[in-house]
Amino acid sequence: MRVLSGIQPTGPFHWGNYFGAIRQYIELQEVATEAYYFIANLHALTTVRDAAKLQQYTLDGAIDLLALGLDPSRATLFVQSDVPEVSELCWLLMTGAPMGLLERCVSYKDKIAKGLKADAGLFTYPVLQAADILAYDADVVPVGEDQLQHIEVCRDIAQSFNHHFGQTFVMPKGKILDSSARVPGLDGEKMSKSYDNTLAVFADPKAQRKQIMRIVTDSRPMEDSKEPVGDVLYDLYALVATEDERDAMAALYRRGGFGYGEIKKALADAAERYFAPARERRAALAAEPQQLREILAAGAAKARVKAKATLKRAQQACGLSDW
Ligand code: ADP
Ligand code: TRP
């Protein structure tokens, strides 16, 4: 099983990104024969238009993944733009990507529906994603449910290329990440940087404690019991507490006789503890920028070998570069 996924560097990773995606990618590195993970900076360029920020988010994203347990000896970690063959492959795929297919993609459709102007980058975003996947002959692509449409587009494009030019690309399958890991934000809505309701994975613990203490709760009387599941504080706590702590907290909710202040404190404590080892690893990595550069350079070199071979195969199949 060759696993591949990309994550956009559009800001600091939050708990939704970690529990909903990153943690599961990292678990997959243990079972995959080969795993490729990259920071999708070319995709992020469709939204981040500040050079310093994009560069910062890209390097931070790589450090974060390593700190959270991505092991470069098991998985190939690289930055998308360090493999230019993918952009070249993207053009080949673009020539066979039906307009109608791309017009139906929600990221583009939603923007148009809101009356906003879209650019060609956003319109062809799924084709670049298809090139990402096909370049490495990935067969399993773990993604959140929101990305499933893009995997379908990738399959359509690959199928049509294979049909016209002969068997060239491996057909990938999407692997939907556990949707029960849908993390609520501070306001109870889905946690997302677009809603400004996030808890950053590597926030300063003191600042994060303040954020947690400010979470708005209902006006339930202290003595009343409450169903824990579905309550923002409990749901967040359940992610970072041990199993015993979680069970004890659920029992406390059902029994009643507690104030939200003590739950918030327990949540802040558990969060600080949960991410402490990763925070330490992150500090060590950030202090060694040369080491990070070496990891990314080695990852890109390995990824390029694979992407080059696939590009060559595709070029030969469609009548380019065979002399
Ligand atoms: P955002 O909504 O903050 O812009 P992204 O779309 O960049 O986040 O998220 C990247 C991936 O992280 C998604 O494909 C999804 O798998 C996961 N993810 C993001 N937010 C959540 C959440 N609240 N719960 C679970 N998974 C999430
Ligand atoms: N579009 C994906 C997201 O926003 C990121 C991404 C880019 C990706 N290329 C990919 C995911 C290839 C899986 C495979 O989350």
Side-chain angles (χ1 to χ4, degrees), residues 14 16-17 20-21 144 146-147 177 181-183 190-194:
H14 54 71
N17 301 138
D146 58 322
Q147 291 295 313
L177 299 171
R182 185 178 217 267
V183 178
K190 181 188 173 207
M191 187 179 286
S192 167
K193 63 183 153 312
S194 346

Side-chain angles (χ1 to χ4, degrees), residues 209 212-215 217 220-224 231 233-234 237 245 248-253 255-271 273:
R209 185 169 294 267
I212 290 174
M213 296 315 285
R214 281 199 300 267
I215 293 178
T217 50
R220 158 196 155 277
M222 181 152 163
E223 58 278 7
D224 280 11
D231 179 70
L233 292 177
Y234 176 82
Y237 182 75
E245 286 172 333
M249 182 63 83
L252 178 65
Y253 263 74
R255 198 174 61 227
F258 64 90
Y260 286 125
E262 72 183 279
I263 310 290
K264 289 178 178 175
K265 191 173 166 308
L267 170 59
D269 290 345
R273 238 180 300 124

Side-chain angles (χ1 to χ4, degrees), residues 11-224:
F13 293 141
H14 54 71
W15 290 24
N17 301 138
Y18 177 65
F19 293 104
I22 297 168
R23 184 172 70 170
Q24 302 180 53
Y25 297 163
I26 291 171
E27 282 165 5
L28 277 170
Q29 77 185 0
E30 306 297 330
V31 292
T33 334
E34 275 181 62
Y36 290 85
Y37 293 120
F38 61 92
I39 308 290
N41 61 342
L42 292 173
H43 279 115
L45 201 51
T46 61
T47 47
V48 184
R49 299 248 162 69
D50 176 320
K53 263 194 187 151
L54 184 58
Q55 192 156 26
Q56 189 64 44
Y57 291 160
T58 302
L59 293 177
D60 279 350
I63 295 187
D64 290 354
L65 293 182
L66 292 166
L68 290 166
L70 195 140
D71 176 357
S73 70
R74 285 175 191 269
T76 305
L77 172 67
F78 59 101
V79 174
Q80 185 183 30
S81 64
D82 285 345
V83 186
E85 287 76 11
V86 168
S87 301
E88 219 172 315
L89 182 62
C90 179
W91 174 258
L92 264 62
L93 300 179
M94 205 110 80
T95 60
M99 293 289 284
L101 189 65
L102 302 181
E103 272 159 0
R104 283 195 296 277
C105 284
V106 285
S107 45
Y108 168 77
K109 214 167 77 174
D110 284 0
K111 202 156 182 177
I112 297 296
K114 283 186 194 143
L116 299 169
K117 278 193 190 138
D119 48 45
L122 184 72
F123 185 65
T124 55
Y125 180 116
V127 190
L128 179 60
Q129 185 159 347
D132 283 330
I133 297 169
L134 301 176
Y136 305 102
D137 290 337
D139 36 43
V140 176
V141 186
V143 283
E145 216 160 340
D146 58 322
Q147 291 295 313
L148 210 57
Q149 189 181 33
H150 291 164
I151 309 297
E152 282 310 311
V153 168
C154 173
R155 288 170 58 85
D156 282 357
I157 292 176
Q159 204 154 31
S160 139
F161 192 100
N162 285 349
H163 174 75
H164 279 106
F165 301 116
Q167 181 60 36
T168 308
F169 295 121
V170 170
M171 269 312 207
K173 269 202 202 76
K175 176 180 163 61
I176 292 277
L177 299 171
D178 178 8
S179 58
S180 64
R182 185 178 217 267
V183 178
L186 299 171
D187 55 358
E189 296 299 316
K190 181 188 173 207
M191 187 179 286
S192 167
K193 63 183 153 312
S194 346
Y195 305 149
D196 204 16
N197 64 357
T198 62
L199 287 170
V201 170
F202 289 111
D204 164 54
K206 267 198 194 142
Q208 187 150 86
R209 185 169 294 267
K210 281 195 187 146
Q211 248 188 322
I212 290 174
M213 296 315 285
R214 281 199 300 267
I215 293 178
V216 178
T217 50
D218 57 34
S219 52
R220 158 196 155 277
M222 181 152 163
E223 58 278 7
D224 280 11

